[in-house]
Amino acid sequence: MTPTESTETPDGSNTNGDGKGTSVIVNAIAVLKSFSAEEPLLGVTEIAGRVGLHKSTVSRMLATLEQEGLVERDVDSRRFRLGLGMIAMAGPLLAELEERRVAYPVLRELTERTGETSALMVWNGVESMCVEQIPSRHQVKHLAPLGARYSEALSSSVQVFLAAEDQDRVRSLLRSGSVTLPSLDADAVESYLRRLEQTSKRGWAVNFGETSIEEVGVASPVYDHRGDIVASVLIPAPKFRVSQDTLNSLGEACADAAAKVTSRLGGRPPA
């Protein structure tokens, strides 16, 4: 979704007629999407640079979003973060998301079993998104915050979802940059496709410090009654705590948990 800078009169009104409502909505969505788990606090100038709008436009937009509780201003830095109103908006969707409700007790068991954070991820077509999380009790831990989005091809949950896609679709996502891979030459893409085949056969994907040198991730697919992947169970963990032997144990635990969620959904792996 590309923001559009509309033509404005000196009093701030828009001269684009019927296009005004659409452009305002598109721009507001772009502003909200500029926040991330990695950068939850942003200033007006930073947001304007990211979405390609004038600072005055962004400032007015943030003022309206703040009134509605969708963003809030940090008292100390005066920068903005997403507001609690976003949770209120997402609440009805999360409450109706059967995979989240069914997975919650399984994720709790998984965190107890492994000592690491567990999360439930869903796929929006180009990103893996976190819809539930049970944090590790360790003081040093890795988290997958609710709403966190991952589009790196080497992320373990992204591998799980792409392993179920047609190879031409995967190539298209990589070449368009919707899903990012460090190298996009032909050999790298074909090697990645072979990796997805291995992931599918093994039943779980691994990211051993490939997207972050400090983090390891393992993920396994959750299936519905048609045998389609509808979610994935993810375990993110600090790399210093995960040896190769531990990695296999985490992968097996993750696959077991995903199988339990699949069963509770009335699902089945593909034949």
Side-chain angles (χ1 to χ4, degrees):
M1 185 175 293
T2 303
T4 56
E5 185 75 81
S6 57
T7 303
E8 296 177 345
T9 61
D11 65 358
S13 62
N14 186 291
T15 61
N16 287 346
D18 292 342
K20 177 181 179 180
T22 300
S23 65
V24 169
I25 292 171
V26 169
N27 292 341
I29 291 172
V31 167
L32 292 172
K33 291 181 71 174
S34 66
F35 297 92
S36 68
E38 292 76 22
E39 295 180 281
L41 282 172
L42 296 172
V44 173
T45 300
E46 292 171 291
I47 296 171
R50 293 184 181 197
V51 301
L53 297 172
H54 193 276
K55 287 192 295 183
S56 62
T57 302
V58 171
S59 182
R60 287 195 300 274
M61 201 167 293
L62 286 168
T64 301
L65 293 172
E66 186 176 18
Q67 289 176 0
E68 298 298 323
L70 300 181
V71 299
E72 59 187 32
R73 200 186 300 260
D74 181 69
V75 175
D76 296 324
S77 68
R78 306 303 294 167
R79 300 164 85 195
F80 289 89
R81 62 162 62 91
L82 292 178
L84 294 178
M86 293 294 293
I87 297 177
M89 291 181 64
L93 171 63
L94 291 177
E96 292 182 2
L97 193 62
E98 185 180 12
E99 292 85 358
R100 179 177 183 261
R101 176 180 58 79
V102 166
Y104 184 80
V106 179
L107 295 180
R108 288 183 61 89
E109 292 175 3
L110 181 59
T111 293
E112 288 291 334
R113 174 180 173 181
T114 64
E116 303 296 351
T117 297
S118 61
L120 185 73
M121 314 297 293
V122 297
W123 183 244
N124 71 0
V126 293
E127 297 170 314
S128 175
M129 303 178 63
C130 180
V131 295
E132 187 58 271
Q133 176 193 237
I134 306 295
S136 167
R137 290 195 175 94
H138 287 297
Q139 184 173 1
V140 179
K141 57 194 170 191
H142 279 291
L143 302 174
L146 289 180
R149 305 189 301 267
Y150 302 95
S151 59
E152 298 92 345
L154 297 177
S155 294
S156 56
S157 60
V158 173
Q159 291 180 56
V160 165
F161 291 115
L162 290 185
E165 297 276 5
D166 178 85
Q167 288 194 348
D168 287 339
R169 167 68 174 163
V170 176
R171 290 188 183 95
S172 176
L173 289 172
L174 294 175
R175 289 168 181 161
S176 69
S178 298
V179 176
T180 58
L181 187 67
S183 174
L184 272 180
D185 61 55
D187 289 342
V189 171
E190 295 309 308
S191 176
Y192 181 71
L193 291 173
R194 290 193 295 271
R195 176 173 179 162
L196 294 183
E197 291 177 351
Q198 294 169 357
T199 291
S200 184
K201 291 177 182 177
R202 182 173 53 205
W204 52 277
V206 60
N207 168 15
F208 199 76
E210 293 169 283
T211 58
S212 170
I213 60 173
E214 298 178 348
E215 183 176 0
V216 169
V218 295
S220 193
V222 172
Y223 299 96
D224 66 9
H225 66 281
R226 296 178 295 269
D228 295 332
I229 294 178
V230 292
S232 74
V233 172
L234 167 68
I235 302 176
K239 191 176 179 182
F240 74 85
R241 215 158 44 222
V242 182
S243 66
Q244 283 296 331
D245 288 340
T246 306
L247 181 66
N248 291 330
S249 296
L250 287 178
E252 291 169 1
C254 190
D256 288 345
K260 287 182 182 178
V261 178
T262 295
S263 178
R264 287 169 62 90
L265 280 172
R268 59 174 180 82

